[in-house]
Amino acid sequence: MPYGDAMNARVRSAERRAEIVRAALEVIAERGYRGASLAAVAERVGLTQQGLLHYFPTKEALLVAVLEERDQWDAVPATQWRVDLLAALVEYNAMRPGIIQTFSALLGESVTEGHPAREYFTDRYRRVRENMAGVLRAEYGERLPSGLTPERAAPLLVAVMDGLQYQWLLDPESVDMPGAFRDFLALLGERA
Amino acid sequence: MPYGDAMNARVRSAERRAEIVRAALEVIAERGYRGASLAAVAERVGLTQQGLLHYFPTKEALLVAVLEERDQWDAVPATQWRVDLLAALVEYNAMRPGIIQTFSALLGESVTEGHPAREYFTDRYRRVRENMAGVLRAEYGERLPSGLTPERAAPLLVAVMDGLQYQWLLDPESVDMPGAFRDFLALLGERA
DNA sequence: CCCGTTACCTGTAACGCGGTAGGTTTCGTG
DNA sequence: CACGAAACCTACCGCGTTACAGGTAACGGG
């Protein structure tokens, strides 16, 4: 046994599942959800397509696991966010194109009819907008430039993050994503 | 000289092609490019899949025609754009979800590997950023709030437009796309 | 040591896809 | 009117896809 007796079966199984999810993230980044085949994911972890179905009974179940992993990743308590942490997050993301590409591709697909991730993104954005409004309020108080409230500015903040991601993914040379995001934050931080 | 009826045949053919492109826009909005089947497009114009291939020899050729139609649509001379026209455009788009959804879906897909629309979007965004920088310069002069130059603000403007579209497509009730866009323009219009 | 569970595999069903081949009808032109 | 081209159609090919069925080998707790 290469892994030794310390590792019991349940842990090994969970690890295998995590490995599969990681591979799925990659394949979705490369081909989107619709274009990602179970066989391609399976091959990346040394399984057959049917072997993969042993862990995730349907393709959609695998997608759900992918989305859950993301939720877990950015489950920072809303109260702990600060604007400078957002800037740092964008900077960090700029060094990991893979994760951005996965969720940019998924977001794009999700607006199509009956896409299994649609509800996920709808809920998520509603939540994130609320969070961001809170962050802005904590940082800048009730009044932002042009008399904007945090609630009105929050969708803009989210839009800038997403929109910059697409421009950056398409043409990293031409778009300084972290810099542009800082520019936007400076815009919000202006004294009215 | 091939006058008259020769013309008619050519016109009819061009009309049919336009009809097919229109149907393709719809189907792509609903299922994305990868998810859009030639058969589905064909059915919508009363053709078989093979009949459609008579007009567009491959699926990719059809996509190219779709992208060309868009280029033609927003081929407004850069010098003629003004900021208030952008706001009006966003407002207009909010009444035509179809077209937004088509290109939001395509944009999302385009960041995946070897997608046939990737180059199109890369080039397009570069062009649009330049245009927008010009628009901002004409409207606000050289200095915007926070000391931003038009060139630095342009990617933000584009990002806001795209990002708002996704939020709005996912949840039109919760997102006032035209209003939010006007908010952003007001932010840029603040006196420094 | 046995026996159920886990972790896979092979085989295959069932379907949808883009694209080719080749025929037939319709139509405008000389 | 004759002919060639355009505008379709039917038939079909080969491949990729998800998912189901059922088998097998290994592991681990009693």
Side-chain angles (χ1 to χ4, degrees):
Chain A
M1 290 307 95
Y3 294 109
D5 295 335
M7 208 172 296
N8 65 28
R10 202 172 301 175
V11 169
R12 257 203 327 273
S13 173
E15 231 166 52
R16 202 85 164 110
R17 285 176 59 98
E19 204 181 336
I20 293 171
V21 168
R22 241 175 290 134
L25 277 164
E26 287 177 23
V27 176
I28 291 174
E30 289 165 16
R31 326 258 308 167
Y33 171 69
R34 282 202 168 98
S37 75
L38 294 176
V41 177
E43 190 197 16
R44 217 162 283 215
V45 293
L47 282 178
T48 62
Q49 177 244 2
Q50 297 87 338
L52 193 154
L53 284 174
H54 173 70
Y55 289 93
F56 299 95
T58 67
K59 186 180 178 180
E60 200 171 324
L62 177 57
L63 176 63
V64 168
V66 165
L67 298 176
E68 275 169 0
E69 165 133 316
R70 200 236 163 99
D71 268 343
Q72 191 182 345
W73 195 89
D74 59 16
V76 180
T79 56
Q80 287 184 19
W81 276 110
R82 272 176 303 132
V83 166
D84 59 319
L85 288 183
L86 287 179
L89 173 64
V90 171
E91 201 133 9
Y92 177 64
N93 281 341
M95 300 174 345
R96 302 170 68 242
I99 199 74
I100 288 192
Q101 191 163 324
T102 302
F103 287 94
S104 294
L106 280 176
L107 172 60
E109 276 182 297
S110 74
V111 303
T112 62
E113 236 168 51
H115 194 282
R118 169 148 205 169
E119 197 187 338
Y120 169 82
F121 277 111
T122 305
D123 294 350
R124 178 169 200 280
Y125 275 100
R126 211 179 306 217
R127 235 168 44 229
V128 169
R129 277 193 299 266
E130 282 168 18
N131 272 4
M132 290 303 114
V135 172
L136 290 174
R137 174 167 285 111
E139 189 93 4
Y140 301 123
E142 204 57 45
R143 289 179 52 83
L144 292 111
S146 323
L148 281 188
T149 61
E151 273 71 22
R152 301 251 303 273
L156 295 178
L157 179 66
V158 177
V160 165
M161 293 185 72
D162 288 337
L164 284 178
Q165 284 177 7
Y166 283 108
Q167 291 183 59
W168 177 73
L169 284 172
L170 287 171
D171 195 354
E173 311 279 310
S174 303
V175 179
D176 172 18
M177 179 169 66
F181 186 65
R182 278 194 303 269
D183 285 347
F184 177 72
L185 291 180
L187 222 46
L188 287 183
E190 285 269 292
R191 299 270 38 160
Chain B
M1 288 292 216
Y3 281 127
D5 293 345
M7 211 54 163
N8 277 343
R10 206 174 305 173
V11 166
R12 259 205 325 276
S13 173
E15 238 166 48
R16 201 87 164 109
R17 285 176 59 98
E19 205 181 337
I20 293 171
V21 168
R22 242 176 289 135
L25 277 164
E26 287 177 24
V27 176
I28 291 173
E30 289 164 17
R31 326 260 306 170
Y33 171 69
R34 282 202 168 97
S37 75
L38 294 176
V41 177
E43 190 195 20
R44 217 162 283 214
V45 294
L47 281 179
T48 63
Q49 180 239 16
Q50 295 85 342
L52 193 156
L53 285 172
H54 173 70
Y55 290 92
F56 299 95
T58 67
K59 187 181 180 180
E60 200 171 322
L62 177 55
L63 176 64
V64 167
V66 165
L67 298 176
E68 275 170 358
E69 166 134 314
R70 199 231 165 103
D71 268 343
Q72 191 182 346
W73 195 89
D74 60 17
V76 179
T79 56
Q80 288 184 20
W81 276 112
R82 271 175 302 131
V83 166
D84 59 320
L85 287 183
L86 287 180
L89 173 64
V90 171
E91 202 133 10
Y92 177 64
N93 282 341
M95 303 179 333
R96 302 171 70 240
I99 198 75
I100 288 191
Q101 191 162 323
T102 302
F103 287 94
S104 294
L106 280 177
L107 173 60
E109 278 182 296
S110 74
V111 304
T112 62
E113 235 168 51
H115 193 283
R118 168 148 206 169
E119 198 188 338
Y120 168 83
F121 277 110
T122 304
D123 293 351
R124 180 170 198 280
Y125 274 99
R126 210 179 305 217
R127 235 169 43 230
V128 169
R129 278 193 298 267
E130 282 168 18
N131 271 4
M132 291 303 113
V135 172
L136 290 174
R137 175 166 284 113
E139 189 93 4
Y140 301 121
E142 204 57 46
R143 289 180 54 83
L144 292 111
S146 323
L148 281 187
T149 61
E151 274 70 23
R152 301 251 303 273
L156 295 178
L157 179 66
V158 177
V160 166
M161 293 185 73
D162 287 338
L164 285 178
Q165 284 177 7
Y166 283 108
Q167 292 183 59
W168 176 73
L169 284 172
L170 287 170
D171 195 353
E173 311 280 311
S174 303
V175 179
D176 172 16
M177 179 170 68
F181 186 65
R182 278 193 303 268
D183 285 347
F184 178 72
L185 291 180
L187 222 47
L188 287 182
E190 286 268 292
R191 303 239 13 128

